[in-house]
Amino acid sequence: MTDTQTDPQSTFSGTREVDARSALDEAALDAWLTAHVEGYAGPLTVRQFNGGQSNPTYELSTPGRTYVLRRKPPGTLLPSAHAVDREFTVISGLHAQGYPVARPWALCTDDAVIGSMFYVMDKVEGRVLWDLKLPGLEPAERRAIYDAQVDALAALHRFDPVAIGLGDYGKPGNYFERQVGRWTKQYRASEIDPIPAMDRLIDFLPATLPPEGPARIVHGDFRLDNLILAPDRAEVRAVLDWELSTLGDPMADFSYLLIAWAIPQSVRNGLAGADLEALGIPSVDEVVERYAAQTGGERPRNLDWLFAYNLFRLAAICQGIAGRVRDGTAASPQAKSMAAQVPFLAEAAWSYARKAGA
């Protein structure tokens, strides 16, 4: 999240020279690619993507093909964070089903190659749109993009994880309980200054858990700027950034998508207060109806609680970024502004917790 004083499209798009903190041994990487990626042939040019706050992501260009490399950040990390091996597992399973993800090529678990675990996939060409209000597009184009986004999430949630070989991708049951516990631990591990709203949420959320829904593959960070769209139409070519994916309640994923409508438009990924009809952006009710039509009638339960949970989770994620800024391991130049959002997110989460009965 950044404020609207910056242009997110120019800030987050494209690539740059690899920064010193994220440097890697290009000769060792070239040798590994030659041995493990079918059809790979150098010479290799490496650049770093501007987008992405968590796992450093690189563009690997060769004369014949362009790849993307995702790695764990070097340095001391929070427990269970930055699990790029899990990303590789889920995109491999989904690619085999024809779901829009980049083609995965190979996973390297040997830290000695470039300093941390990584995987390599195809680079998918297309558009990544960073501003939810989609400036410069016509209302009909905005509507089509939002519809395509909902359709892609519904398609993910229609998969039976067991049927596609991902039945052991996450623990069964108690999803929200485990997630609240996980993000509480992550927040505490990165805590810098006390935030009373976070303390109240840490008490409230585990005491008021909603009924559990069916176990599905949940992306964990499904939003517009984690999609690659076709250059000239509203077609999702690839869903990116599966770091937080697991098995769980699909309502967690869907309600995470919906919180954009609850966040003020004064921040980059907020829509609250915007003239949605004039923009051509569907309302929450329209999004819910479209999703329900494609998933057999599933609708959010306890939406205020779900908003409180998702905003709490976002605050914990941003607090993790604040911890990495403190520790010098943050991957993105925008990390400090992300970290500054924690108090705002915590207060917003607590406002929804109060609506949910706190």
Side-chain angles (χ1 to χ4, degrees):
M1 289 185 180
T2 59
D3 61 19
T4 53
Q5 299 306 306
T6 60
D7 173 18
Q9 197 65 36
S10 60
T11 300
F12 295 107
S13 296
T15 62
R16 64 182 188 272
E17 290 188 15
V18 179
D19 63 52
R21 291 173 302 177
S22 303
L24 45 76
D25 185 334
E26 294 186 18
L29 176 60
D30 180 73
W32 186 90
L33 293 168
T34 300
H36 294 91
V37 174
E38 179 183 353
Y40 171 82
L44 173 66
T45 301
V46 180
R47 290 182 61 81
Q48 188 169 358
F49 284 99
N50 289 321
Q53 302 290 345
S54 183
N55 294 322
T57 306
Y58 307 78
E59 179 186 70
L60 310 181
S61 300
T62 71
R65 198 176 197 113
T66 305
Y67 306 88
V68 171
L69 182 151
R70 293 261 292 173
R71 71 181 294 195
K72 272 193 171 187
T76 303
L77 303 172
L78 294 174
S80 80
H82 313 284
V84 296
D85 51 336
R86 286 180 55 79
E87 285 191 38
F88 184 79
T89 295
V90 74
I91 67 171
S92 297
L94 291 171
H95 184 266
Q97 301 300 316
Y99 189 76
V101 289
R103 177 179 178 175
W105 283 102
L107 170 71
C108 177
T109 58
D110 181 0
D111 289 352
V113 177
I114 64 167
S116 61
M117 183 192 306
F118 67 91
Y119 72 93
V120 175
M121 58 186 166
D122 267 344
K123 182 184 180 187
V124 177
E125 296 298 335
R127 298 176 289 169
V128 177
L129 301 174
W130 293 92
D131 188 329
L132 285 181
K133 289 181 279 294
L134 301 177
L137 299 184
E138 294 298 321
E141 293 177 294
R142 295 190 186 103
R143 168 74 62 159
I145 287 169
Y146 272 80
D147 286 350
Q149 176 182 223
V150 174
D151 294 352
L153 184 59
L156 176 66
H157 292 164
R158 286 198 301 269
F159 286 118
D160 177 348
V162 175
I164 64 171
L166 290 170
D168 60 354
Y169 189 62
K171 297 177 182 177
N174 302 320
Y175 174 74
F176 283 113
E177 180 181 4
R178 288 185 287 107
Q179 286 290 301
V180 170
R182 173 188 179 181
W183 294 110
T184 297
K185 289 177 184 175
Q186 299 280 48
Y187 171 74
R188 293 300 192 202
S190 302
E191 191 174 11
I192 299 172
D193 298 314
I195 300 175
M198 288 297 280
D199 295 333
R200 292 193 293 268
L201 288 159
I202 286 167
D203 290 335
F204 169 75
L205 291 171
T208 54
L209 298 168
E212 195 78 14
R216 291 290 183 263
I217 300 161
V218 295
H219 179 276
D221 196 15
F222 196 95
R223 51 196 170 97
L224 187 63
D225 54 29
N226 275 333
L227 308 180
I228 296 178
L229 299 167
D232 56 352
R233 60 190 183 280
E235 173 195 330
V236 177
R237 290 270 180 89
V239 180
L240 306 175
D241 195 359
W242 293 83
E243 180 192 350
L244 298 175
S245 62
T246 187
L247 299 187
D249 191 324
M251 283 301 109
D253 244 7
F254 183 48
S255 60
Y256 177 81
L257 181 67
L258 291 177
I259 61 169
W261 281 259
I263 294 174
Q265 63 172 329
S266 56
V267 296
R268 175 175 65 86
N269 56 355
L271 292 173
D275 188 342
L276 299 182
E277 186 175 355
L279 289 169
I281 295 173
S283 67
V284 168
D285 288 344
E286 289 173 313
V287 172
V288 167
E289 288 306 313
R290 188 176 185 93
Y291 176 86
Q294 298 197 33
T295 56
E298 279 292 306
R299 287 173 170 79
R301 306 169 299 277
N302 309 312
L303 194 54
D304 288 329
W305 190 95
L306 290 167
F307 280 179
Y309 157 76
N310 274 300
L311 290 163
F312 165 78
R313 179 174 166 273
L314 268 178
I317 291 169
C318 289
Q319 188 63 50
I321 294 169
R324 294 202 301 280
V325 170
R326 175 195 62 199
D327 298 338
T329 60
S332 168
Q334 289 76 42
K336 287 185 179 179
S337 63
M338 291 282 289
Q341 297 294 330
V342 178
F344 163 79
L345 290 167
E347 289 298 335
W350 181 244
S351 73
Y352 279 101
R354 292 188 61 156
K355 291 178 184 179

